[in-house]
Amino acid sequence: MVDRVTVTLTLNGERRRFEVPPGRRLLDLLRDDAGLTGTKEGCGAGECGACTVLLDGVPVTSCLVLAASADGREVVTVEGLGSGALHPFQEALVARGGVQCGFCTPGVAVTGAAALARGVTGAERTRLLAGNLCRCTGYAKILAALDDAAEAVDAPA
Amino acid sequence: MDVAIQEVVRPASIAEALATLARADARPIAGGTDLMVQLRDGRRHAACLVDLGRLGLDGVRRDGDAVEIGAATTMDAIAGDAAVRDWFPALASAAGQVGGWPIQCRATLGGNLANGSPAADTAGPLLIAGAGVIVVAAGGRRRVPIAEFFLGPGRTALRQGELIAAVRLPLAETAAGRRVVERFVKVGPRREQVISVASLAGRAVVGRDGALEQVRIALGSVAPTPVRATAAERALSGRRPDAVARRDAARAVQGDIAPIDDVRAPARYRRIVVAVLLDRFLREVERG
Ligand SMILES: Cc1cc2nc3c(=O)[nH]c(=O)nc-3n(C[C@H](O)[C@H](O)[C@H](O)COP(=O)(O)OP(=O)(O)OC[C@H]3O[C@@H](n4cnc5c(N)ncnc54)[C@H](O)[C@@H]3O)c2cc1C
Ligand code: FES
Ligand code: FES
């Protein structure tokens, strides 16, 4: 039995403390210890992006992050993307039909929200989404939703 | 699933990190984008991981006639840094093509080098920049020229217990009237999120008469380590990159590489790709 390590996170705006085995991945801490099962495990190897969360404001694949490395940092999962309501990109994904089976959606939503926050446009915006694989939609509707959300963010009603 | 380690240490100083790394069963972890996959697949083992996230080893700074990039600087930070984009555009471009964006936000320069892959995308741009790797150990610091850093697949000049602290890139002033073309290109099944089948980093300084005053070419994924294409460089030296020179270079470069067949591509394909990448780079240099 190995010693446990303490991991303190600001998780979706709330300060939380976890005692976990040293080899715990951030992904498993989120799903199993924090009960936030929105974040999905696809490949477990950094390739699909389904497990993407924000770590100090930038998207990372949580399957490759040691929970202990995230200690003291801020984590936002799909559950915490919008404040209370859906994030504009999530709204746009729904409106555009950018969700089919939904398995990639939490990661896509998180990366897309971060891309919008960075304020990039056009091809650069598409490049930032390229690490999130989707086997259903063919991407066109996801990218259209991102364009819609960019307009919504730029010109709030 | 948890990775099979016994302990994780999160030192707040380099001295503390080096003290733990003196243990034979300890290994540093930076972004974890190579190491977490290797631990999971059982390709590497470590009882103790030493997290480098709190050592202040990140950031790009100008230091006299060089730019110094901290080992823990992420690919995302490198790709977006104004000094790197201005002075070392091939490096900025390579950093922006490592995996996808969520990988780039974790993957570090030090990890890319220490992992020792022949496909490490930042290696070529560092080779053409004549960079130095600043290595620290309990006994002091040393500077390893990037050309001497890679020893073979998964093998580098780093010894047990040593850390990369930074990479130092000397600034090269361009004389008046000269034109500099610097590029990084990689080939793979898709643009993002793939390990290169072959990559080329090139830097050319073109004189007023259109002749190459300097040309440096480095190649990835086509030899046991990232390599400088010295035979191709010699074939081009002092010449205009016209069709004849390009043909000579495409022939010469075959002697610079020793590609293998692997899951990503056959050796023969890699030889063709290298010739094409070199030709395209030189055409761009000629066009200006
Ligand atoms: C989906 C995916 C796509 C990828 N695509 C690419 C790609 O296109 N191009 C590419 O080049 N790579 C790619 N990679 C590989 C990887 O992301 C990079 O090599 C990355 O730069 C590694 O950095 P890291 O900080 O994550 O290293 P880690 O995984 O933390 O460490 C890697 C190795 O370096 C050692 N180490 C780390 N930092 C130091 C240090 N400062 N001093 C001494 N040793 C150290 C570790 O002990 C370990 O052995 C990809 C990986 C994934 C998962
Ligand atoms: S589960 Fe993490 S990238 Fe696929
Ligand atoms: S909606 Fe099914 S994988 Fe994207």
Side-chain angles (χ1 to χ4, degrees), chain A residues 2 5-6 21-25 28 43-44 46-47 55 59-60 64 68-69 71 73 111 114-115 118 127-128 130, chain B residues 1-3 5-6 8 10 31-33 36-37 40 49 51 53-54 76 96 101-106 190 192-193:
Chain A
V2 292
V5 292
T6 304
R24 179 116 329 159
R25 304 176 302 172
D28 300 316
C43 64
E47 311 218 356
L55 182 63
V60 301
L64 300 184
S69 297
D71 182 39
R73 298 175 193 254
T111 306
R118 191 165 274 205
R127 180 184 81 82
L128 296 186
Chain B
M1 214 179 61
D2 297 349
V3 292
I5 58 166
Q6 304 297 315
V8 54
R10 293 164 285 181
T33 60
M36 289 293 279
V37 182
R40 174 188 111 122
L49 293 183
D51 180 65
R54 289 162 180 71
D76 186 54
W101 190 32
I103 295 292
Q104 288 161 26
C105 288
R106 277 302 283 168
R190 74 190 276 253
E192 293 85 7
Q193 202 71 327

Side-chain angles (χ1 to χ4, degrees), chain A residues 41-44 46-49 51 61 63:
Chain A
E41 175 161 17
C43 64
E47 311 218 356
C48 73
C51 66
T61 51
C63 67

Side-chain angles (χ1 to χ4, degrees), chain A residues 97-105 108 132-139 142:
Chain A
V99 180
Q100 287 184 27
C101 81
F103 201 79
C104 71
T105 309
V108 166
N132 290 84
L133 305 187
C134 175
R135 292 166 56 129
C136 304
T137 66
Y139 302 103
I142 291 176

